[in-house]
Amino acid sequence: MSRSRQPPLVTGISPNEGIPWTKVTIRGENLGTGPTDLIGLTICGHNCLLTAEWMSASKIVCRVGQAKNDKGDIIVTTKSGGKGTSTVSFKLLKPEKIGILDQSAVWVDEMNYYDMRTDRNKGIPPLSLRPANPLGIEIEKCKLPQKNLEVLFHGMSADFTSENFSAAWYLIENHSTTSFEQLKMAVTNLKRQANKKSEGSLAYVKGGLSTFFEAQDALSAIHQKLEADGTEKVEGSMTQKLENVLNRASNTADTLFQEVLGRKDKADSTRNALNVLQRFKFLFNLPLNIKRNIQKGDYDVVINDYEKAKSLFGKTEVQVFKKYYAEVEAGIEDLRELLLKKLLETPSTLHDQKRYIRYLSDLHAPGDPAWQCIGAQHKWTLKLMQDCKEGHMKSLKGNPGPHSPMLDLDNDVRPSVLGHLSQTASLKRGSSFQSGRDDTWRYKTPHRVAFVEKLTKLVLSQLPNFWKLWISYVNGSLFSETAEKSGQNERSKNVRQRQNDFKKMIQEVMHSLVKLIRGALLPLSLREGDGRQYGGWEVQAELSGQWLAHVIQTIRLTYESLTALEIPNDMLQIIQDLILDLRIRCIMVTLQHTAEEIKRLAEKEDWVVDNEGLTSLPCQFEQSIVHSLQSLKGVVDCKPGEASVFQQPKTQEEVCQLCINIMQVFIYCLEQLSTKPDADIDTTHLSVDVSSPDLFGSIHEDFSLTSEQRLLIVLSNCCYLERHTFLNIAEHFEKHNFQGIEKITQVSMASLKELDQRLFENYIELKADPIVGSLEPGIYAGYFDWKDCLPPAGVRNYLKEALVNIIAVHAEVFTISKELVPRVLARVVEAVSEELSRLMQCVSSFSRNGALQARLEICALRDTVAIYLTPESRSSFKQALEALPQLASGADKKSLEELLNKFKSSMHLQLTCFQAASPAVMKT
């Protein structure tokens, strides 16, 4: 055969894969000159010429038939070009196995049907089918003996059509070595099959839509051809024959499947009946199940069953169903009452409250159970606070001891506070200054302090849950999702209306807390109407400053805890006001107690003098104030959000006055000590500086203190107070942010200087008057006359006696305080010089010898006490000398000088004290 054209060449096929009987379009070159020229068409080795439809030399349409090969070429053979070639291939997919009861848009080859029960092909179609591989993955048989599986799964079956089907057995038997990824693919296949079945007829129609169109086209073509031939209405025509054939085929199919379809319909009816009975069984058993689950506390199960029953039978018209549903409603109503009762019971945890509210919300309980719970919790908190007060008051009446009941400090915040209070600086002087309390006071708590601690703990244990319950009520987290969606608008309206009510509840709790604390600690700050409800504490003594500071710390911690809950500050402002009042009261009480302790310092004076002429009293006084200020440091310091305790002028004035009172109390103690009778002096020895010699032996260990010595000791202390102690105390006041320090210092210094001057004058009066009084009798002893006297042989005894007395004063003052010596001796010298000047001016006339004698004695005294001369004493000596006649000759001057040198030489030892004294600024 001669070929006049090129061989056919297939360059494309669409689609390039599919199951048997898939319609494909073949494209290429030289595919024939017409339908008669096409003599061969194979796809994957299967002859498809019967279904081929030549469209053009480059396009052929056909259906893929059954083939042995999964993938192969597309070969076209023509008369004009011979056998062709292909540059593309077609992949044949395995057809989906269709059961005898499954709908199909194409004809199934029954001769090659696959029996899934026996896992092999059968030529005769079975009456019932079951899928052999429901998972759609490769089956890998298990090697375990069947007997072992039967023992392991007793009473079960690996047959998925059995009522006792065990999925585990099936997987062990068929997929024991299957990978996890393949099992995931099996799950996907099962879901796809379930979705496919659920799609029903619509999916069936979609899947076979092309087949329907082809059938429609074929019938239309036949109809048109018959109309054209005119044989459609002829008796025994092809149309009637075809109709008869189709009717017989339909009847045969109905006869063939009648038994199977009948059994299927019966099984469906039985299944539907069982489903209905099962649903009715749920309703019939529901009242009893509700009671049992309520007794067991399985409220979630009850609510789920009720919701299910309500959706199924809530609107039923069947009387039997109505009767049983009414019993269900009655049981649910009892459950609502039980849950509401449990919700309103106190005490209760926040978790239980939320759970009961959610249950009641799911059960659509009438009213607003969440708000009822909030109200009940509020009343319970107020009752607990009032019961706390009554319980402590009963305990106080039953055990009226000042420091009961006992509290365990190990589990409380108090150890840190008491530890701070107990850390006091050791005294540099006067270690005998100690608190009069017994050491056990640190472990005993006053009733009112214990009450405040328990009250604040109670509030902190109740209020956080109360606040969280309200927050959950506002944001809707108390309710389930369904209840929240259904009642969201109504709850939003309720929240807006009840915000003010809840704010009043919080404020009532805060006011009750503050008033109870005020009734215990600040009863005078309560109004008359609140005194009976919140006060009534029968106490004999006020709390000390240390305990008030501890209470302040407790309330501050309470405030911080409440602030952490994000409660608005305006609701907590009343607590800040309470803290401010307690801080002010603590300062007042501490300063008052300090004044009382300082008043008792006079009893602790031991009169032991150190090298500086001081006793321990000034240091004890300073340490007492420093200790008090240290105990007030935490009270005076402002925490975040707190106001200064000194912001009000009234408070500043009161605190300033108390501080001045403390100073004046100590000054009064000094005055009392200076005037204390000799019989009241307990200490019978006076310690002196070991480095200074006891020149006159006037003070010994068994020597009692005289009033003059006590005056000197107090004067020495006054000097130290003025120069050091009061200034140090002013610095401590300023360091602790006290106000009015300048006023405190001025008033205190004025009082101290007044006392100092008064005591000094008293001492000078005691010491100078005897010396001054002895001058005139000494001068005129033995009827001495300035007009008629012998030539001077030396200083007379009266002046020596006066000097000895001045030396005795010097020794007494020097023994107590070296710093007082210039001040005291200057005043004594002033008194002596003034008296001597007066006596000289009273003499009417002097003889030559009398003038020389007088000048000798005045110069001897002046030169001896020269280092203690003041302008006043110099003026007195000058006036005394001016009252004398001038020396007439040089012999008199020489005699005067010799007599002076003789006097200084003879009394050199006695006059040494005047020479050894160091110059100092003389204070008068």
Side-chain angles (χ1 to χ4, degrees):
M1 180 183 297
S2 62
R3 297 185 181 90
S4 58
R5 297 177 63 86
Q6 294 293 327
L9 176 65
V10 177
T11 60
I13 183 170
S14 177
N16 59 2
E17 63 179 11
I19 62 174
W21 304 110
T22 299
K23 189 175 182 179
V24 297
T25 300
I26 301 172
R27 297 185 184 275
E29 301 175 356
N30 304 319
L31 298 183
T33 59
T36 57
D37 191 38
L38 182 64
I39 61 174
L41 176 60
T42 60
I43 299 177
C44 297
H46 185 272
N47 188 6
C48 301
L49 184 62
L50 184 62
T51 61
E53 182 179 358
W54 187 88
M55 306 298 291
S56 67
S58 60
K59 179 179 178 181
I60 299 175
V61 178
C62 70
R63 287 188 179 274
V64 180
Q66 295 283 353
K68 296 182 180 179
N69 300 326
D70 293 339
K71 190 174 183 180
D73 296 332
I74 301 95
I75 305 299
V76 178
T77 306
T78 62
K79 293 180 182 180
S80 60
K83 187 175 182 181
T85 59
S86 173
T87 60
V88 295
S89 61
F90 182 83
K91 182 178 181 181
L92 188 65
L93 303 177
K94 293 183 179 181
E96 183 180 358
K97 297 179 175 59
I98 301 175
I100 194 170
L101 300 180
D102 295 335
Q103 294 176 334
S104 176
V106 297
W107 184 258
V108 180
D109 187 4
E110 296 182 358
M111 296 305 295
N112 196 25
Y113 184 77
Y114 186 81
D115 188 1
M116 298 178 184
R117 293 177 300 173
T118 59
D119 199 23
R120 65 179 182 271
N121 291 332
K122 277 195 172 183
I124 301 175
L127 295 181
S128 62
L129 296 176
R130 57 180 176 175
N133 187 9
L135 300 182
I137 58 177
E138 184 177 357
I139 295 178
E140 299 177 2
K141 289 293 183 178
C142 176
K143 297 181 181 180
L144 291 175
Q146 189 72 16
K147 293 183 179 180
N148 294 347
L149 294 174
E150 292 177 355
V151 173
L152 184 62
F153 302 95
H154 180 69
M156 308 300 289
S157 172
D159 185 2
F160 48 83
T161 61
S162 173
E163 294 182 357
N164 299 327
F165 172 67
S166 173
W169 189 349
Y170 177 81
L171 290 175
I172 293 174
E173 184 176 359
N174 298 286
H175 299 284
S176 59
T177 59
T178 303
S179 65
F180 183 70
E181 294 298 327
Q182 288 182 320
L183 291 177
K184 290 171 66 176
M185 292 176 56
V187 173
T188 305
N189 294 337
L190 287 175
K191 291 181 179 179
R192 188 184 301 115
Q193 293 177 16
N195 294 334
K196 184 177 180 182
K197 290 183 179 179
S198 63
E199 292 177 359
S201 301
L202 180 62
Y204 160 70
V205 173
K206 289 181 179 179
L209 195 60
S210 61
T211 305
F212 288 145
F213 288 157
E214 292 176 2
Q216 175 67 23
D217 293 342
L219 291 176
S220 297
I222 294 173
H223 180 68
Q224 291 175 0
K225 188 174 182 181
L226 290 176
E227 283 184 345
D229 294 345
T231 60
E232 180 180 1
K233 299 181 180 179
V234 179
E235 186 69 23
S237 64
M238 181 179 179
T239 305
Q240 289 185 348
K241 292 180 181 179
L242 181 59
E243 181 179 1
N244 293 334
V245 171
L246 292 176
N247 288 334
R248 286 196 303 274
S250 177
N251 293 332
T252 303
D254 290 341
T255 303
L256 179 64
F257 291 99
Q258 183 175 5
E259 183 179 358
V260 176
L261 294 177
R263 288 199 302 268
K264 181 178 181 299
D265 292 341
K266 185 177 180 180
D268 291 340
S269 300
T270 303
R271 190 178 300 106
N272 292 335
L274 290 175
N275 290 336
V276 173
L277 289 176
Q278 182 66 25
R279 185 181 302 175
F280 295 161
K281 180 180 179 181
F282 162 73
L283 178 62
F284 297 152
N285 294 335
L286 187 55
L288 180 60
N289 291 336
I290 287 177
K291 292 181 179 178
R292 290 176 178 175
N293 289 329
I294 289 176
Q295 292 176 355
K296 292 188 295 183
D298 295 335
Y299 303 125
D300 292 310
V301 177
V302 175
I303 294 173
N304 292 335
D305 291 346
Y306 171 66
E307 291 293 336
K308 182 178 178 181
K310 185 177 181 180
S311 63
L312 294 175
F313 306 101
K315 298 180 180 180
T316 183
E317 297 295 332
V318 182
Q319 294 299 324
V320 176
F321 293 168
K322 283 185 176 181
K323 178 181 178 181
Y324 278 90
Y325 186 73
E327 293 184 11
V328 171
E329 286 288 356
I332 294 299
E333 185 62 30
D334 294 340
L335 177 59
R336 291 192 187 104
E337 295 178 358
L338 175 63
L339 292 176
L340 183 60
K341 181 180 179 182
K342 287 181 174 292
L343 176 63
L344 301 181
E345 284 181 355
T346 51
S348 180
T349 63
L350 180 62
H351 177 267
D352 290 341
Q353 290 173 345
K354 288 184 175 181
R355 191 161 56 95
Y356 294 143
I357 291 172
R358 190 172 291 110
Y359 289 153
L360 289 169
S361 174
D362 292 339
L363 293 175
H364 307 287
D368 194 347
W371 181 252
Q372 291 177 328
C373 178
I374 291 175
Q377 191 70 20
H378 170 247
K379 294 179 181 178
W380 169 252
T381 302
L382 293 178
K383 183 177 181 300
L384 287 178
M385 295 168 67
Q386 199 64 31
D387 291 345
C388 179
K389 175 212 168 190
E390 294 176 359
H392 275 270
M393 292 188 70
K394 289 180 180 178
S395 176
L396 179 61
K397 293 178 181 178
N399 185 11
H403 301 296
S404 59
M406 303 289 287
L407 293 181
D408 183 10
L409 298 181
D410 294 337
N411 299 324
D412 204 345
V413 297
R414 192 178 308 107
S416 61
V417 179
L418 292 178
H420 173 71
L421 295 179
S422 63
Q423 292 174 359
T424 57
S426 59
L427 298 178
K428 297 179 181 177
R429 302 182 182 90
S431 60
S432 61
F433 173 59
Q434 297 176 355
S435 174
R437 298 187 184 93
D438 187 76
D439 290 339
T440 59
W441 75 275
R442 291 186 177 88
Y443 309 102
K444 297 176 181 178
T445 305
H447 269 85
R448 290 176 291 167
V449 177
F451 162 69
V452 173
E453 289 180 345
K454 185 173 182 181
L455 182 65
T456 53
K457 287 181 181 179
L458 188 151
V459 171
L460 290 180
S461 66
Q462 297 294 325
L463 202 58
N465 289 341
F466 183 58
W467 180 259
K468 292 176 183 177
L469 187 65
W470 165 253
I471 296 299
S472 301
Y473 178 80
V474 171
N475 59 30
S477 61
L478 284 176
F479 313 98
S480 62
E481 294 182 0
T482 56
E484 184 178 359
K485 293 178 181 178
S486 62
Q488 185 174 5
N489 295 332
E490 182 179 356
R491 270 194 307 279
S492 299
K493 183 178 179 181
N494 290 340
V495 168
R496 289 193 298 270
Q497 293 175 351
R498 288 169 175 166
Q499 277 182 345
N500 291 333
D501 295 337
F502 181 78
K503 184 176 180 180
K504 291 179 181 178
M505 289 182 180
I506 292 292
Q507 289 176 343
E508 187 176 358
V509 173
M510 295 296 102
H511 279 80
S512 181
L513 171 65
V514 170
K515 288 180 180 179
L516 286 171
I517 295 177
R518 286 185 180 274
L521 304 178
L522 303 172
L524 297 179
S525 64
L526 289 176
R527 294 181 297 181
E528 294 182 2
D530 297 334
R532 177 174 299 178
Q533 182 179 359
Y534 299 103
W537 291 83
E538 298 178 1
V539 292
Q540 298 177 354
E542 190 172 10
L543 290 177
S544 64
Q546 290 92 336
W547 282 118
L548 284 175
H550 170 62
V551 169
I552 291 170
Q553 178 65 14
T554 300
I555 300 177
R556 278 174 168 172
L557 294 175
T558 303
Y559 177 82
E560 292 175 1
S561 300
L562 295 178
T563 305
L565 296 176
E566 299 182 355
I567 298 178
N569 291 332
D570 57 340
M571 298 184 183
L572 302 178
Q573 183 59 40
I574 188 174
I575 299 182
Q576 284 285 20
D577 297 340
L578 171 63
I579 293 174
L580 178 60
D581 292 347
L582 285 174
R583 290 166 64 200
I584 295 174
R585 187 58 189 164
C586 180
I587 293 174
M588 301 295 184
V589 171
T590 301
L591 295 179
Q592 291 171 1
H593 288 183
T594 303
E596 295 175 1
E597 289 183 356
I598 290 174
K599 188 183 297 184
R600 294 191 293 268
L601 285 181
E603 303 173 1
K604 299 179 173 60
E605 177 60 280
D606 53 10
W607 301 103
V608 177
V609 181
D610 62 5
N611 296 337
E612 299 177 5
L614 304 175
T615 64
S616 62
L617 205 59
C619 188
Q620 291 182 26
F621 169 64
E622 181 179 351
Q623 289 293 338
S624 179
I625 293 182
V626 170
H627 172 75
S628 298
L629 293 178
Q630 287 177 348
S631 66
L632 288 176
K633 186 178 186 307
V635 177
V636 175
D637 293 344
C638 296
K639 298 294 183 181
E642 292 183 355
S644 172
V645 291
F646 302 112
Q647 66 178 356
Q648 298 179 1
K650 181 181 178 181
T651 304
Q652 294 181 18
E653 183 63 27
E654 291 178 354
V655 172
C656 180
Q657 192 58 43
L658 285 173
C659 294
I660 292 174
N661 182 52
I662 290 175
M663 300 292 196
Q664 292 179 340
V665 165
F666 184 68
I667 294 173
Y668 176 76
C669 289
L670 294 176
E671 185 175 5
Q672 292 296 108
L673 288 172
S674 66
T675 59
K676 196 171 185 181
D678 294 342
D680 294 339
I681 302 300
D682 297 329
T683 305
T684 59
H685 68 278
L686 180 64
S687 176
V688 298
D689 188 355
V690 294
S691 63
S692 61
D694 188 359
L695 300 177
F696 302 98
S698 59
I699 300 177
H700 303 280
E701 291 186 357
D702 57 348
F703 186 80
S704 298
L705 287 176
T706 63
S707 59
E708 293 86 351
Q709 290 171 332
R710 291 203 303 275
L711 276 174
L712 284 174
I713 293 173
V714 174
L715 279 172
S716 177
N717 287 337
C718 288
C719 293
Y720 185 81
L721 289 170
E722 182 180 353
R723 293 195 303 268
H724 300 285
T725 305
F726 277 19
L727 298 178
N728 294 341
I729 291 174
E731 292 179 359
H732 286 296
F733 279 136
E734 185 176 3
K735 179 181 177 182
H736 290 81
N737 301 320
F738 274 61
Q739 304 296 318
I741 301 173
E742 183 177 354
K743 180 180 178 181
I744 297 172
T745 305
Q746 289 178 353
V747 176
S748 303
M749 284 292 190
S751 299
L752 181 63
K753 289 179 180 179
E754 181 184 355
L755 174 64
D756 177 84
Q757 189 62 29
R758 189 166 61 250
L759 297 180
F760 181 73
E761 295 295 339
N762 292 339
Y763 183 77
I764 295 300
E765 183 180 352
L766 292 173
K767 291 300 180 181
D769 286 357
I771 299 174
V772 171
S774 65
L775 287 179
E776 186 173 2
I779 291 176
Y780 297 104
Y783 302 101
F784 178 82
D785 187 1
W786 296 108
K787 298 177 183 178
D788 183 15
C789 61
L790 298 174
V795 176
R796 291 185 293 169
N797 290 334
Y798 82 93
L799 187 61
K800 294 180 180 179
E801 181 181 355
L803 285 174
V804 169
N805 290 333
I806 294 174
I807 292 172
V809 173
H810 180 282
E812 183 178 65
V813 176
F814 186 85
T815 304
I816 301 300
S817 174
K818 302 180 184 66
E819 295 181 0
L820 286 177
V821 171
R823 182 184 178 191
V824 173
L825 289 188
R827 283 295 302 275
V828 173
V829 170
E830 284 181 8
V832 173
S833 63
E834 182 181 355
E835 177 65 14
L836 193 59
S837 175
R838 184 188 67 82
L839 292 175
M840 293 299 106
Q841 292 175 3
C842 291
V843 177
S844 58
S845 63
F846 291 88
S847 64
R848 180 172 175 273
N849 292 333
L852 184 59
Q853 183 70 43
R855 189 174 293 276
L856 171 63
E857 292 171 354
I858 293 173
C859 291
L861 178 60
R862 184 192 63 184
D863 294 346
T864 301
V865 296
I867 63 174
Y868 298 114
L869 292 179
T870 62
E872 289 80 5
S873 58
R874 291 179 190 276
S875 176
S876 298
F877 280 118
K878 183 178 180 182
Q879 292 175 5
L881 291 174
E882 290 176 353
L884 301 177
Q886 296 297 324
L887 295 178
S889 62
D892 292 340
K893 293 180 181 180
K894 183 177 180 182
S895 176
L896 176 62
E897 185 177 352
E898 291 177 354
L899 291 173
L900 282 174
N901 291 333
K902 179 182 178 182
F903 165 75
K904 294 177 182 179
S905 176
S906 63
M907 294 193 66
H908 173 74
L909 180 61
Q910 288 82 355
L911 301 181
T912 304
C913 62
F914 298 114
Q915 298 173 2
S918 60
V921 178
M922 301 179 184
K923 183 178 178 181
T924 58

